[in-house]
Amino acid sequence: MTRPPDPAPAARLRARVFFAIWPAAVIARRLHKEGERAHGLTGGRRMRRDTLHLTLAFIGDIPRERLDALRAAADKVAFAPFTFRVDRIARWRHNHIVWAGASGLPEELESLVTQLNSALADGGFPVERRNFAAHVTLLRNARGELPAAELAPPIEWPVGEFVLVESDPRPEGAQYRVLQSWPGVFGSQS
Ligand code: 2AM
């Protein structure tokens, strides 16, 4: 018996969603290149270049009818465009992820996450209680050791917006679809 194909994400009753910042192609290329370098040492599965991102808040699986409330929560966030300096690459032993990020959490990024979490909590959405670990996953299932290293030169990532993304998990790797973006406004408090 053949199984009917899964419905397209937009036709499903539930959506797996998260807020993120998504790099422009030129930045994604550099991040991807760093992943390639690390892969030589650690092995593992490289994330596709067009899927590289930094998650600000992971919501998870929600009824699709709640998406408007999620959008309304994001509408409350005010931030000014900023540059995120990615200057570090490392591997987490506990989950075998190789990631790129920053040695310190930039104030603007922290503010964005704090505002988002607060608006999400007000909207009745689950909020991550663990400390925010700003990272772009480059490799999964990376079993070899990778000494944490500085990126020289660092990658200067201009952040002009944040996005709401729907994830469609597939055996060959998740597919992502941007549902909406919120641009930063110069002069906004962040
Ligand atoms: P990861 O790369 O560290 O796995 C889409 O799955 C995005 O949401 C990824 O950036 C992923 O982070 C993050 N994510 C997935 N599940 C999560 C969870 N339970 N808590 C926080 N972030 C999660």
Side-chain angles (χ1 to χ4, degrees), residues 17 19 59 62-76 116 119-125 164 180 182:
V17 288
F19 287 101
I59 316 299
I62 58 165
R64 198 167 286 278
E65 67 209 24
R66 291 279 284 145
L67 286 176
D68 279 348
L70 207 51
R71 291 184 163 105
D75 285 345
K76 294 184 190 160
L116 206 43
L120 289 170
D122 289 350
F125 291 99
L164 174 63
Q180 191 169 332
W182 285 263

PDB file of all heavy atoms in Angstrom, residues 17 19 59 62-76 116 119-125 164 180 182:
ATOM      1  N   VAL A  17       7.726  26.259  14.444  1.00  0.00           N
ATOM      2  CA  VAL A  17       8.219  27.595  14.102  1.00  0.00           C
ATOM      3  C   VAL A  17       9.251  28.118  15.092  1.00  0.00           C
ATOM      4  O   VAL A  17       9.323  27.666  16.241  1.00  0.00           O
ATOM      5  CB  VAL A  17       7.053  28.615  14.030  1.00  0.00           C
ATOM      6  CG1 VAL A  17       6.203  28.381  12.791  1.00  0.00           C
ATOM      7  CG2 VAL A  17       6.194  28.564  15.280  1.00  0.00           C
ATOM      8  N   PHE A  19      11.848  31.980  15.767  1.00  0.00           N
ATOM      9  CA  PHE A  19      12.345  33.284  15.317  1.00  0.00           C
ATOM     10  C   PHE A  19      13.864  33.186  15.152  1.00  0.00           C
ATOM     11  O   PHE A  19      14.534  32.506  15.951  1.00  0.00           O
ATOM     12  CB  PHE A  19      12.021  34.368  16.340  1.00  0.00           C
ATOM     13  CG  PHE A  19      10.564  34.747  16.370  1.00  0.00           C
ATOM     14  CD1 PHE A  19       9.715  34.253  17.345  1.00  0.00           C
ATOM     15  CD2 PHE A  19      10.046  35.595  15.394  1.00  0.00           C
ATOM     16  CE1 PHE A  19       8.371  34.592  17.365  1.00  0.00           C
ATOM     17  CE2 PHE A  19       8.695  35.951  15.401  1.00  0.00           C
ATOM     18  CZ  PHE A  19       7.861  35.444  16.391  1.00  0.00           C
ATOM     19  N   ILE A  59       9.986  28.197  19.201  1.00  0.00           N
ATOM     20  CA  ILE A  59       8.619  28.070  19.714  1.00  0.00           C
ATOM     21  C   ILE A  59       8.190  26.598  19.702  1.00  0.00           C
ATOM     22  O   ILE A  59       7.572  26.119  20.628  1.00  0.00           O
ATOM     23  CB  ILE A  59       7.600  28.870  18.859  1.00  0.00           C
ATOM     24  CG1 ILE A  59       8.126  30.261  18.494  1.00  0.00           C
ATOM     25  CG2 ILE A  59       6.246  28.952  19.556  1.00  0.00           C
ATOM     26  CD1 ILE A  59       8.412  31.157  19.644  1.00  0.00           C
ATOM     27  N   ILE A  62       3.057  24.419  17.095  1.00  0.00           N
ATOM     28  CA  ILE A  62       1.857  25.117  17.592  1.00  0.00           C
ATOM     29  C   ILE A  62       0.729  24.992  16.562  1.00  0.00           C
ATOM     30  O   ILE A  62       0.987  24.781  15.380  1.00  0.00           O
ATOM     31  CB  ILE A  62       2.112  26.627  17.870  1.00  0.00           C
ATOM     32  CG1 ILE A  62       2.608  27.330  16.605  1.00  0.00           C
ATOM     33  CG2 ILE A  62       3.064  26.827  19.034  1.00  0.00           C
ATOM     34  CD1 ILE A  62       2.531  28.842  16.696  1.00  0.00           C
ATOM     35  N   PRO A  63      -0.537  25.149  17.019  1.00  0.00           N
ATOM     36  CA  PRO A  63      -1.632  25.163  16.033  1.00  0.00           C
ATOM     37  C   PRO A  63      -1.438  26.353  15.092  1.00  0.00           C
ATOM     38  O   PRO A  63      -1.087  27.444  15.538  1.00  0.00           O
ATOM     39  CB  PRO A  63      -2.882  25.365  16.903  1.00  0.00           C
ATOM     40  CG  PRO A  63      -2.467  25.049  18.303  1.00  0.00           C
ATOM     41  CD  PRO A  63      -1.008  25.325  18.399  1.00  0.00           C
ATOM     42  N   ARG A  64      -1.674  26.111  13.817  1.00  0.00           N
ATOM     43  CA  ARG A  64      -1.442  27.177  12.826  1.00  0.00           C
ATOM     44  C   ARG A  64      -2.263  28.435  13.138  1.00  0.00           C
ATOM     45  O   ARG A  64      -1.838  29.549  12.857  1.00  0.00           O
ATOM     46  CB  ARG A  64      -1.781  26.631  11.428  1.00  0.00           C
ATOM     47  CG  ARG A  64      -1.204  27.411  10.283  1.00  0.00           C
ATOM     48  CD  ARG A  64      -1.308  26.643   8.980  1.00  0.00           C
ATOM     49  NE  ARG A  64      -0.350  25.561   8.924  1.00  0.00           N
ATOM     50  CZ  ARG A  64       0.937  25.719   8.588  1.00  0.00           C
ATOM     51  NH1 ARG A  64       1.391  26.897   8.260  1.00  0.00           N
ATOM     52  NH2 ARG A  64       1.756  24.703   8.580  1.00  0.00           N
ATOM     53  N   GLU A  65      -3.421  28.240  13.750  1.00  0.00           N
ATOM     54  CA  GLU A  65      -4.266  29.416  14.043  1.00  0.00           C
ATOM     55  C   GLU A  65      -3.618  30.334  15.093  1.00  0.00           C
ATOM     56  O   GLU A  65      -4.081  31.452  15.300  1.00  0.00           O
ATOM     57  CB  GLU A  65      -5.658  28.955  14.511  1.00  0.00           C
ATOM     58  CG  GLU A  65      -5.635  28.261  15.848  1.00  0.00           C
ATOM     59  CD  GLU A  65      -6.759  27.238  16.004  1.00  0.00           C
ATOM     60  OE1 GLU A  65      -7.254  26.745  14.986  1.00  0.00           O
ATOM     61  OE2 GLU A  65      -7.104  26.940  17.152  1.00  0.00           O
ATOM     62  N   ARG A  66      -2.550  29.861  15.754  1.00  0.00           N
ATOM     63  CA  ARG A  66      -1.862  30.705  16.744  1.00  0.00           C
ATOM     64  C   ARG A  66      -0.799  31.599  16.087  1.00  0.00           C
ATOM     65  O   ARG A  66      -0.162  32.413  16.762  1.00  0.00           O
ATOM     66  CB  ARG A  66      -1.194  29.820  17.803  1.00  0.00           C
ATOM     67  CG  ARG A  66      -2.157  29.111  18.706  1.00  0.00           C
ATOM     68  CD  ARG A  66      -2.662  30.006  19.837  1.00  0.00           C
ATOM     69  NE  ARG A  66      -1.656  30.183  20.876  1.00  0.00           N
ATOM     70  CZ  ARG A  66      -1.489  31.305  21.575  1.00  0.00           C
ATOM     71  NH1 ARG A  66      -2.245  32.351  21.327  1.00  0.00           N
ATOM     72  NH2 ARG A  66      -0.566  31.391  22.515  1.00  0.00           N
ATOM     73  N   LEU A  67      -0.582  31.429  14.796  1.00  0.00           N
ATOM     74  CA  LEU A  67       0.486  32.194  14.139  1.00  0.00           C
ATOM     75  C   LEU A  67       0.247  33.700  14.209  1.00  0.00           C
ATOM     76  O   LEU A  67       1.185  34.484  14.350  1.00  0.00           O
ATOM     77  CB  LEU A  67       0.648  31.763  12.671  1.00  0.00           C
ATOM     78  CG  LEU A  67       1.317  30.395  12.463  1.00  0.00           C
ATOM     79  CD1 LEU A  67       1.341  30.041  10.979  1.00  0.00           C
ATOM     80  CD2 LEU A  67       2.729  30.373  13.025  1.00  0.00           C
ATOM     81  N   ASP A  68      -1.007  34.111  14.136  1.00  0.00           N
ATOM     82  CA  ASP A  68      -1.290  35.550  14.202  1.00  0.00           C
ATOM     83  C   ASP A  68      -0.901  36.120  15.556  1.00  0.00           C
ATOM     84  O   ASP A  68      -0.391  37.234  15.654  1.00  0.00           O
ATOM     85  CB  ASP A  68      -2.769  35.832  13.908  1.00  0.00           C
ATOM     86  CG  ASP A  68      -3.052  35.832  12.413  1.00  0.00           C
ATOM     87  OD1 ASP A  68      -2.068  35.851  11.636  1.00  0.00           O
ATOM     88  OD2 ASP A  68      -4.237  35.777  12.024  1.00  0.00           O
ATOM     89  N   ALA A  69      -1.123  35.351  16.603  1.00  0.00           N
ATOM     90  CA  ALA A  69      -0.735  35.805  17.946  1.00  0.00           C
ATOM     91  C   ALA A  69       0.787  35.894  18.052  1.00  0.00           C
ATOM     92  O   ALA A  69       1.334  36.782  18.719  1.00  0.00           O
ATOM     93  CB  ALA A  69      -1.292  34.850  18.998  1.00  0.00           C
ATOM     94  N   LEU A  70       1.447  34.997  17.365  1.00  0.00           N
ATOM     95  CA  LEU A  70       2.912  35.011  17.355  1.00  0.00           C
ATOM     96  C   LEU A  70       3.413  36.266  16.629  1.00  0.00           C
ATOM     97  O   LEU A  70       4.349  36.943  17.070  1.00  0.00           O
ATOM     98  CB  LEU A  70       3.377  33.752  16.617  1.00  0.00           C
ATOM     99  CG  LEU A  70       4.734  33.168  16.946  1.00  0.00           C
ATOM    100  CD1 LEU A  70       4.904  32.979  18.437  1.00  0.00           C
ATOM    101  CD2 LEU A  70       4.887  31.821  16.229  1.00  0.00           C
ATOM    102  N   ARG A  71       2.749  36.585  15.529  1.00  0.00           N
ATOM    103  CA  ARG A  71       3.114  37.787  14.763  1.00  0.00           C
ATOM    104  C   ARG A  71       2.885  39.038  15.618  1.00  0.00           C
ATOM    105  O   ARG A  71       3.687  39.966  15.621  1.00  0.00           O
ATOM    106  CB  ARG A  71       2.291  37.877  13.481  1.00  0.00           C
ATOM    107  CG  ARG A  71       2.648  36.812  12.475  1.00  0.00           C
ATOM    108  CD  ARG A  71       1.846  37.028  11.184  1.00  0.00           C
ATOM    109  NE  ARG A  71       2.429  36.306  10.074  1.00  0.00           N
ATOM    110  CZ  ARG A  71       1.929  35.187   9.568  1.00  0.00           C
ATOM    111  NH1 ARG A  71       0.829  34.657  10.058  1.00  0.00           N
ATOM    112  NH2 ARG A  71       2.522  34.590   8.557  1.00  0.00           N
ATOM    113  N   ALA A  72       1.789  39.023  16.350  1.00  0.00           N
ATOM    114  CA  ALA A  72       1.473  40.186  17.192  1.00  0.00           C
ATOM    115  C   ALA A  72       2.525  40.352  18.282  1.00  0.00           C
ATOM    116  O   ALA A  72       2.900  41.479  18.640  1.00  0.00           O
ATOM    117  CB  ALA A  72       0.082  40.008  17.810  1.00  0.00           C
ATOM    118  N   ALA A  73       3.029  39.243  18.796  1.00  0.00           N
ATOM    119  CA  ALA A  73       4.085  39.315  19.823  1.00  0.00           C
ATOM    120  C   ALA A  73       5.334  39.948  19.219  1.00  0.00           C
ATOM    121  O   ALA A  73       5.958  40.845  19.813  1.00  0.00           O
ATOM    122  CB  ALA A  73       4.389  37.920  20.364  1.00  0.00           C
ATOM    123  N   ALA A  74       5.693  39.516  18.013  1.00  0.00           N
ATOM    124  CA  ALA A  74       6.907  40.041  17.373  1.00  0.00           C
ATOM    125  C   ALA A  74       6.758  41.523  17.030  1.00  0.00           C
ATOM    126  O   ALA A  74       7.753  42.267  17.024  1.00  0.00           O
ATOM    127  CB  ALA A  74       7.220  39.238  16.116  1.00  0.00           C
ATOM    128  N   ASP A  75       5.529  41.964  16.762  1.00  0.00           N
ATOM    129  CA  ASP A  75       5.286  43.382  16.444  1.00  0.00           C
ATOM    130  C   ASP A  75       5.725  44.295  17.588  1.00  0.00           C
ATOM    131  O   ASP A  75       5.984  45.479  17.379  1.00  0.00           O
ATOM    132  CB  ASP A  75       3.787  43.626  16.184  1.00  0.00           C
ATOM    133  CG  ASP A  75       3.342  43.108  14.830  1.00  0.00           C
ATOM    134  OD1 ASP A  75       4.206  42.823  13.983  1.00  0.00           O
ATOM    135  OD2 ASP A  75       2.110  42.963  14.631  1.00  0.00           O
ATOM    136  N   LYS A  76       5.777  43.767  18.799  1.00  0.00           N
ATOM    137  CA  LYS A  76       6.099  44.606  19.967  1.00  0.00           C
ATOM    138  C   LYS A  76       7.597  44.857  20.109  1.00  0.00           C
ATOM    139  O   LYS A  76       8.013  45.666  20.929  1.00  0.00           O
ATOM    140  CB  LYS A  76       5.616  43.912  21.247  1.00  0.00           C
ATOM    141  CG  LYS A  76       4.131  43.783  21.357  1.00  0.00           C
ATOM    142  CD  LYS A  76       3.804  43.180  22.715  1.00  0.00           C
ATOM    143  CE  LYS A  76       2.345  42.798  22.808  1.00  0.00           C
ATOM    144  NZ  LYS A  76       2.110  41.824  23.869  1.00  0.00           N
ATOM    145  N   LEU A 116      11.881  39.708  22.732  1.00  0.00           N
ATOM    146  CA  LEU A 116      11.097  38.670  22.068  1.00  0.00           C
ATOM    147  C   LEU A 116      10.526  37.706  23.109  1.00  0.00           C
ATOM    148  O   LEU A 116       9.326  37.391  23.104  1.00  0.00           O
ATOM    149  CB  LEU A 116      12.017  37.934  21.083  1.00  0.00           C
ATOM    150  CG  LEU A 116      11.441  37.241  19.872  1.00  0.00           C
ATOM    151  CD1 LEU A 116      10.385  38.073  19.181  1.00  0.00           C
ATOM    152  CD2 LEU A 116      12.575  36.914  18.901  1.00  0.00           C
ATOM    153  N   ALA A 119       7.699  39.333  25.042  1.00  0.00           N
ATOM    154  CA  ALA A 119       6.462  39.430  24.252  1.00  0.00           C
ATOM    155  C   ALA A 119       5.829  38.049  24.076  1.00  0.00           C
ATOM    156  O   ALA A 119       4.596  37.909  24.104  1.00  0.00           O
ATOM    157  CB  ALA A 119       6.761  40.059  22.895  1.00  0.00           C
ATOM    158  N   LEU A 120       6.661  37.029  23.925  1.00  0.00           N
ATOM    159  CA  LEU A 120       6.136  35.663  23.761  1.00  0.00           C
ATOM    160  C   LEU A 120       5.457  35.196  25.039  1.00  0.00           C
ATOM    161  O   LEU A 120       4.375  34.599  25.009  1.00  0.00           O
ATOM    162  CB  LEU A 120       7.279  34.698  23.394  1.00  0.00           C
ATOM    163  CG  LEU A 120       7.841  34.854  21.980  1.00  0.00           C
ATOM    164  CD1 LEU A 120       9.112  34.033  21.802  1.00  0.00           C
ATOM    165  CD2 LEU A 120       6.800  34.449  20.949  1.00  0.00           C
ATOM    166  N   ALA A 121       6.100  35.486  26.165  1.00  0.00           N
ATOM    167  CA  ALA A 121       5.508  35.087  27.452  1.00  0.00           C
ATOM    168  C   ALA A 121       4.165  35.783  27.637  1.00  0.00           C
ATOM    169  O   ALA A 121       3.170  35.158  28.037  1.00  0.00           O
ATOM    170  CB  ALA A 121       6.468  35.423  28.590  1.00  0.00           C
ATOM    171  N   ASP A 122       4.103  37.089  27.318  1.00  0.00           N
ATOM    172  CA  ASP A 122       2.839  37.832  27.418  1.00  0.00           C
ATOM    173  C   ASP A 122       1.763  37.213  26.523  1.00  0.00           C
ATOM    174  O   ASP A 122       0.572  37.273  26.836  1.00  0.00           O
ATOM    175  CB  ASP A 122       3.028  39.302  26.991  1.00  0.00           C
ATOM    176  CG  ASP A 122       3.830  40.089  28.007  1.00  0.00           C
ATOM    177  OD1 ASP A 122       4.063  39.563  29.112  1.00  0.00           O
ATOM    178  OD2 ASP A 122       4.239  41.229  27.681  1.00  0.00           O
ATOM    179  N   GLY A 123       2.192  36.670  25.391  1.00  0.00           N
ATOM    180  CA  GLY A 123       1.245  36.072  24.446  1.00  0.00           C
ATOM    181  C   GLY A 123       0.895  34.634  24.791  1.00  0.00           C
ATOM    182  O   GLY A 123       0.187  33.967  24.038  1.00  0.00           O
ATOM    183  N   GLY A 124       1.444  34.141  25.893  1.00  0.00           N
ATOM    184  CA  GLY A 124       1.114  32.782  26.330  1.00  0.00           C
ATOM    185  C   GLY A 124       1.918  31.694  25.635  1.00  0.00           C
ATOM    186  O   GLY A 124       1.518  30.528  25.641  1.00  0.00           O
ATOM    187  N   PHE A 125       3.055  32.081  25.039  1.00  0.00           N
ATOM    188  CA  PHE A 125       3.895  31.082  24.365  1.00  0.00           C
ATOM    189  C   PHE A 125       4.988  30.583  25.316  1.00  0.00           C
ATOM    190  O   PHE A 125       5.433  31.325  26.201  1.00  0.00           O
ATOM    191  CB  PHE A 125       4.533  31.681  23.105  1.00  0.00           C
ATOM    192  CG  PHE A 125       3.528  31.955  22.029  1.00  0.00           C
ATOM    193  CD1 PHE A 125       3.019  33.237  21.848  1.00  0.00           C
ATOM    194  CD2 PHE A 125       3.067  30.927  21.215  1.00  0.00           C
ATOM    195  CE1 PHE A 125       2.062  33.488  20.870  1.00  0.00           C
ATOM    196  CE2 PHE A 125       2.121  31.171  20.239  1.00  0.00           C
ATOM    197  CZ  PHE A 125       1.620  32.449  20.065  1.00  0.00           C
ATOM    198  N   LEU A 164      10.354  35.156  11.211  1.00  0.00           N
ATOM    199  CA  LEU A 164       9.616  34.011  11.744  1.00  0.00           C
ATOM    200  C   LEU A 164       9.707  32.917  10.683  1.00  0.00           C
ATOM    201  O   LEU A 164       9.407  33.164   9.510  1.00  0.00           O
ATOM    202  CB  LEU A 164       8.154  34.390  11.996  1.00  0.00           C
ATOM    203  CG  LEU A 164       7.220  33.258  12.414  1.00  0.00           C
ATOM    204  CD1 LEU A 164       7.641  32.651  13.756  1.00  0.00           C
ATOM    205  CD2 LEU A 164       5.770  33.766  12.519  1.00  0.00           C
ATOM    206  N   GLN A 180       7.429  35.600   7.881  1.00  0.00           N
ATOM    207  CA  GLN A 180       7.356  37.064   7.971  1.00  0.00           C
ATOM    208  C   GLN A 180       8.698  37.603   8.461  1.00  0.00           C
ATOM    209  O   GLN A 180       9.435  36.890   9.151  1.00  0.00           O
ATOM    210  CB  GLN A 180       6.247  37.489   8.933  1.00  0.00           C
ATOM    211  CG  GLN A 180       5.955  38.978   8.862  1.00  0.00           C
ATOM    212  CD  GLN A 180       4.695  39.385   9.614  1.00  0.00           C
ATOM    213  OE1 GLN A 180       3.767  38.594   9.769  1.00  0.00           O
ATOM    214  NE2 GLN A 180       4.672  40.620  10.090  1.00  0.00           N
ATOM    215  N   TRP A 182      10.698  41.185  10.249  1.00  0.00           N
ATOM    216  CA  TRP A 182      10.520  42.445  10.963  1.00  0.00           C
ATOM    217  C   TRP A 182      11.810  43.238  10.837  1.00  0.00           C
ATOM    218  O   TRP A 182      12.843  42.850  11.411  1.00  0.00           O
ATOM    219  CB  TRP A 182      10.218  42.190  12.445  1.00  0.00           C
ATOM    220  CG  TRP A 182       8.823  41.708  12.705  1.00  0.00           C
ATOM    221  CD1 TRP A 182       7.771  42.476  13.091  1.00  0.00           C
ATOM    222  CD2 TRP A 182       8.321  40.372  12.591  1.00  0.00           C
ATOM    223  NE1 TRP A 182       6.654  41.708  13.225  1.00  0.00           N
ATOM    224  CE2 TRP A 182       6.951  40.411  12.926  1.00  0.00           C
ATOM    225  CE3 TRP A 182       8.892  39.135  12.229  1.00  0.00           C
ATOM    226  CZ2 TRP A 182       6.153  39.264  12.911  1.00  0.00           C
ATOM    227  CZ3 TRP A 182       8.103  38.001  12.218  1.00  0.00           C
ATOM    228  CH2 TRP A 182       6.754  38.080  12.555  1.00  0.00           C
TER     229      TRP A 182
END
